[in-house]
Amino acid sequence: MEYIRKNFSRILDQARAGVMIFCLVACGILLCRGTMARAEEDIAAESALAEETELTAESESGENPAEAVDEESEAETEGTTAGTSINLPGDDGIYSILLIGSDRRDDTWNGNSDVMIVVTVNSNTKKIIMTSYMRDLYADIPGYGVHKLNYAYAAGGADKLIETLEDNYEIEIDNYAAVDFDSMAEIIDLIGGVDIEVTDDEVSVLNNYLSEEDKEYALENGGTYHLNGAQAVAYMRIRYVGNADYQRTQRQRDVLSEIFAQAQEMSAAELTELAQEVLALTDHDISALDMISLLGSLSGLTEYELVENRIPYDGLYTSQNEMLVPDFAETIEKLHEVLYE
């Protein structure tokens, strides 16, 4: 406790820097497995030293060291039984963060949210569920009426989008993290780019999405490329090749997965430095104390199963007036089964 008191400011800075690290792990990529293993070995060594010191002190005080060992072994057994549990914010063992990508091109408005992915960590089922909500979903937006879902963010920012998702789908969202085109491109460049296979049809659309200053990065034909930030964002925006927005959300998840794969190769120190740079590019509402809790859960999250999910579900929606209208009763039932059971 004395250490925490004296170093609380530094701990909070580290917690704030951990936003990107948690988002990476929350989507199921096993970050820094070797670093974590070494950290666990260090913790084990420290625990053994502490145990030896404690036993010596008990022996000198006249207590029976054998009894102390038995009691501690029993406690460790109980801890092992519950060892797969992680310390998430909240009391129900479930934590959800909304990842938002907007089409904002300047600071005059929020932009429409073309990327809406709710990452749900369920410590009861040992799963991390990544649920994409498509931009054209029918949504009853509190205070605004019926619109496409992505209008909620344009109208009232992250808070209104969270309220809309919670009201329409009867879920709970704890926090959000948001980026726009420019900041997402910068984040990808900070990571070092991503490896993506691009088809001939996708190339022409990708090139059209590049700004004038980025035209030098235009691709000649289909193939596997190491895309920089501008190219990757253009790739994620492709909507009119393949199965429209359904395939665009898959492209978004593909780029995220590649970002996480790049981060997996980084050391803990490199990730912390990266997180500090990324934090300045990300709008979020995660408190420092909650971030401490989330960072403490990293090693446990690496063992969880990653599940991809998408709303609307196939066969559970209709298209009306350019909106995707879910069968809300069945969609909510299925969504809750995926997230909470």
Side-chain angles (χ1 to χ4, degrees):
M1 291 301 296
E2 183 67 17
Y3 173 84
I4 293 176
R5 185 183 66 79
K6 291 182 178 179
N7 296 274
F8 191 65
S9 176
R10 183 172 62 84
I11 292 173
L12 291 185
D13 288 339
Q14 292 173 342
R16 295 186 184 98
V19 172
M20 184 61 176
I21 301 173
F22 172 72
C23 290
L24 298 174
V25 176
C27 291
I29 301 302
L30 310 185
L31 297 181
C32 302
R33 180 184 296 274
T35 301
M36 289 178 178
R38 289 192 296 273
E40 289 172 356
E41 291 174 0
D42 291 342
I43 291 171
E46 290 175 2
S47 297
L49 178 60
E51 179 180 351
E52 181 179 349
T53 303
E54 182 178 350
L55 290 176
T56 300
E58 289 171 348
S59 178
E60 292 174 351
S61 65
E63 295 181 6
N64 188 335
E67 291 179 358
V69 171
D70 289 341
E71 291 173 359
E72 191 157 326
S73 297
E74 182 179 349
E76 288 177 355
T77 301
E78 292 175 356
T80 301
T81 302
T84 53
S85 297
I86 59 177
N87 183 26
L88 296 173
D91 299 323
D92 58 359
I94 299 173
Y95 173 82
S96 292
I97 180 170
L98 171 61
L99 307 182
I100 304 168
S102 78
D103 64 358
R104 183 180 67 177
R105 295 167 177 80
D106 56 55
D107 295 330
T108 61
W109 69 314
N110 293 318
N112 295 301
S113 50
D114 284 345
V115 180
M116 295 168 284
I117 299 176
V118 176
V119 178
T120 301
V121 183
N122 189 327
S123 63
N124 303 312
T125 61
K126 310 297 184 293
K127 292 180 180 179
I128 298 171
I129 305 99
M130 187 165 59
T131 304
S132 293
Y133 290 82
M134 293 177 61
R135 65 189 298 276
D136 292 335
L137 279 166
Y138 170 105
D140 186 357
I141 303 173
Y144 294 88
V146 173
H147 295 272
K148 293 182 179 180
L149 179 60
N150 68 343
Y151 178 72
Y153 186 71
D159 289 341
K160 183 59 64 176
L161 177 55
I162 288 174
E163 182 184 6
T164 301
L165 288 169
E166 290 182 332
D167 283 2
N168 283 251
Y169 294 97
E170 300 178 12
I171 60 175
E172 292 186 9
I173 297 173
D174 299 284
N175 294 114
Y176 73 86
V179 295
D180 58 21
F181 287 157
D182 292 338
S183 56
M184 188 63 192
E186 290 183 63
I187 289 171
I188 292 171
D189 284 336
L190 287 173
I191 286 287
V194 292
D195 294 327
I196 296 291
E197 183 177 354
V198 186
T199 67
D200 289 332
D201 290 338
E202 289 171 331
V203 163
S204 60
V205 181
L206 183 156
N207 290 340
N208 287 335
Y209 280 138
L210 293 172
S211 63
E212 286 302 319
E213 56 267 32
D214 292 323
K215 289 299 184 184
E216 62 180 296
Y217 303 124
L219 305 180
E220 294 184 3
N221 46 48
T224 299
Y225 293 91
H226 190 72
L227 303 182
N228 64 20
Q231 294 168 321
V233 168
Y235 173 78
M236 287 190 289
R237 294 177 60 192
I238 296 173
R239 187 182 179 195
Y240 300 109
V241 176
N243 193 14
D245 202 38
Y246 302 94
Q247 195 160 337
R248 178 167 67 167
T249 62
Q250 185 62 59
R251 293 186 186 97
Q252 294 163 358
R253 291 191 294 271
D254 289 344
V255 171
L256 284 176
S257 295
E258 285 299 314
I259 290 175
F260 307 148
Q262 292 290 336
Q264 187 178 3
E265 301 301 319
M266 297 181 180
S267 68
E270 290 171 331
L271 277 171
T272 300
E273 181 179 354
L274 172 67
Q276 291 174 326
E277 296 176 292
V278 167
L279 187 59
L281 304 171
T282 306
D283 175 37
H284 70 91
D285 69 343
I286 306 174
S287 72
L289 291 178
D290 279 350
M291 186 54 61
I292 291 173
S293 176
L294 294 170
L295 288 173
S297 301
L298 290 180
S299 60
L301 290 174
T302 61
E303 304 301 324
Y304 281 32
E305 175 188 358
L306 177 64
V307 177
E308 288 195 22
N309 198 30
R310 190 206 70 212
I311 305 296
Y313 292 116
D314 292 340
L316 292 182
Y317 73 96
T318 57
S319 296
Q320 301 176 22
N321 300 321
E322 298 185 349
M323 286 192 288
L324 307 175
V325 184
D327 179 327
F328 277 100
E330 290 195 40
T331 296
I332 290 171
E333 180 180 0
K334 182 173 181 178
L335 176 61
H336 285 202
E337 288 177 357
V338 173
L339 297 182
Y340 307 129
E341 298 181 8

